Amino acid sequence: MSTCSTVSQDLDEPIAGTAATATTWLLVEQPGPWGAKALTQSHLDPALGRALEAAAKGTGVRVALIRRPGRHADCGATAERQVYAAHTVPGNVWLQAATIRDPEQLLALDFAALGMGDHHTFDSVLQGRPHTGAPLALVCTNGKRDRCCALLGRPLAAELAASGVKGVWEVTHLGGHRFSPTLLVLPYGYAYGRAQAHAVKEVLHSVQEGRIIVEGCRGNSAWERPGQAAELAVRRATGEDAAQALSVVRTDGDAPRWDVTVAHADGRHWRVVVAQGTSLPPRPESCGSVLGSPARMDVVAVHELTMATALAS
């Protein structure tokens, strides 16, 4: 059976620079079925879903629903829900957790502050606290958005959970259906595509040690897509794997070409030239869609800057 993910893999479409963009993720547990637009098509009150979408708009916060792996009975009301908030910008990475009974409480959050990396209202409104467990492995499984997410994502989530991996959740939408199964790992916010269970376990083990694996990585959600590609290119060029070592500090230009400046915590800088290419031949961006030529982020050059050049730029 040909699907958007099999076509993308057969064409060896690059995945760097394809992660969803969000400085902060707000994840709300919602068991039961999800529609294509899950915030308004689930057992969550659709009016609340619309209000959350409106509150998050333009703040850098991305709201998604999560549920535990396994069968999802149409069970109606949920007594308690797990909620997470994660800020993914290096230098201020955090992951907070809370348990709530009334999801209307979420509307009291300061979304602008969350997007900027301030979790004070999450803590005060929801009695949030730092998450102390295993890293979160969020696997996209929403087949109502794309069948690949169900066909490939749900078995991956189930396999990880059955093998004892902690912190595994199904999530509503991470973008890039054709890279299924897709995965977001928190707290650091790196997304992965075409994920296999053994590789995910290696990624999670590395994250526990504060390291990032670049193989199969789509990018860090903290950055726009040119920045995602640039940061991964510097990691490959230098072998740097420390999770918070690199930051995208400047992006000059516009599509189809950018000069991205990547800084290391130790003071080194690189200028990375990223060009927007076109994926050919045409392929479906999701199952059932018309053929298209999705944009791709191609790294043209990576130049380490002298200290004088970095200071002048």
Side-chain angles (χ1 to χ4, degrees):
M1 177 178 64
S2 179
T3 63
C4 66
S5 59
T6 57
V7 172
S8 174
Q9 187 154 17
D10 289 346
L11 294 174
D12 198 23
E13 183 178 353
I15 64 175
T18 66
T21 301
T23 56
T24 302
W25 293 82
L26 179 64
L27 306 167
V28 183
E29 183 177 5
Q30 179 56 64
W34 296 334
K37 297 180 179 179
L39 277 178
T40 55
Q41 297 174 340
S42 70
H43 285 312
L44 187 72
D45 180 354
L48 174 59
R50 286 190 292 271
L52 291 172
E53 287 178 334
K57 188 174 182 179
T59 65
V61 177
R62 189 177 178 112
V63 185
L65 303 183
I66 58 174
R67 64 191 178 194
R68 300 187 186 276
R71 295 178 61 85
H72 303 295
D74 195 350
C75 56
T78 301
E80 288 192 335
R81 302 165 190 265
Q82 186 69 40
V83 181
Y84 296 102
H87 190 62
T88 62
V89 178
N92 186 32
V93 168
W94 47 257
L95 174 57
Q96 302 293 105
T99 303
I100 64 173
R101 288 184 173 272
D102 181 7
E104 295 283 340
Q105 291 177 272
L106 298 168
L107 295 178
L109 297 175
D110 185 336
F111 282 79
L114 282 173
M116 294 294 291
D118 180 351
H119 54 76
H120 74 279
T121 60
F122 186 90
D123 295 346
S124 61
V125 172
L126 308 182
Q127 285 72 59
R129 70 273 180 199
H131 173 69
T132 56
L136 301 187
L138 306 163
V139 182
C140 186
T141 63
N142 191 353
K144 291 295 175 61
R145 290 195 69 98
D146 192 284
R147 61 178 174 169
C148 286
C149 298
L151 291 172
L152 301 174
R154 291 195 66 187
L156 173 63
E159 181 180 353
L160 290 170
S163 65
V165 176
K166 305 299 184 184
V168 180
W169 292 85
E170 298 186 7
V171 68
T172 46
H173 183 46
L174 297 176
H177 317 295
R178 64 191 183 280
F179 305 121
S180 292
T182 60
L183 173 87
L184 176 72
V185 180
L186 295 175
Y188 299 117
Y190 285 83
Y192 291 81
R194 302 177 186 137
Q196 302 297 318
H198 65 90
V200 173
K201 291 175 183 178
E202 291 181 16
V203 166
L204 294 174
H205 178 71
S206 296
V207 165
Q208 285 185 305
E209 298 179 343
R211 298 184 296 107
I212 300 301
I213 289 179
V214 299
E215 186 68 30
C217 190
R218 299 174 62 193
N220 185 337
S221 76
W223 317 124
E224 297 294 331
R225 292 182 175 182
Q228 295 172 12
E231 189 242 21
L232 290 176
V234 172
R235 287 191 179 277
R236 290 192 183 93
T238 63
E240 179 59 72
D241 65 358
Q244 298 193 67
L246 299 177
S247 294
V248 175
V249 296
R250 181 169 175 169
T251 301
D252 297 308
D254 205 344
R257 192 178 179 92
W258 300 265
D259 285 340
V260 181
T261 304
V262 178
H264 195 288
D266 66 10
R268 287 179 291 163
H269 286 70
W270 294 262
R271 181 162 294 145
V272 184
V273 181
V274 180
Q276 180 175 297
T278 301
S279 297
L280 294 173
R283 77 284 312 274
E285 293 193 44
S286 61
C287 288
S289 69
V290 297
L291 296 182
S293 300
R296 51 185 281 175
M297 295 293 130
D298 294 322
V299 172
V300 177
V302 179
H303 302 293
E304 184 169 358
L305 303 178
T306 64
M307 188 63 69
T309 304
L311 292 173
S313 63

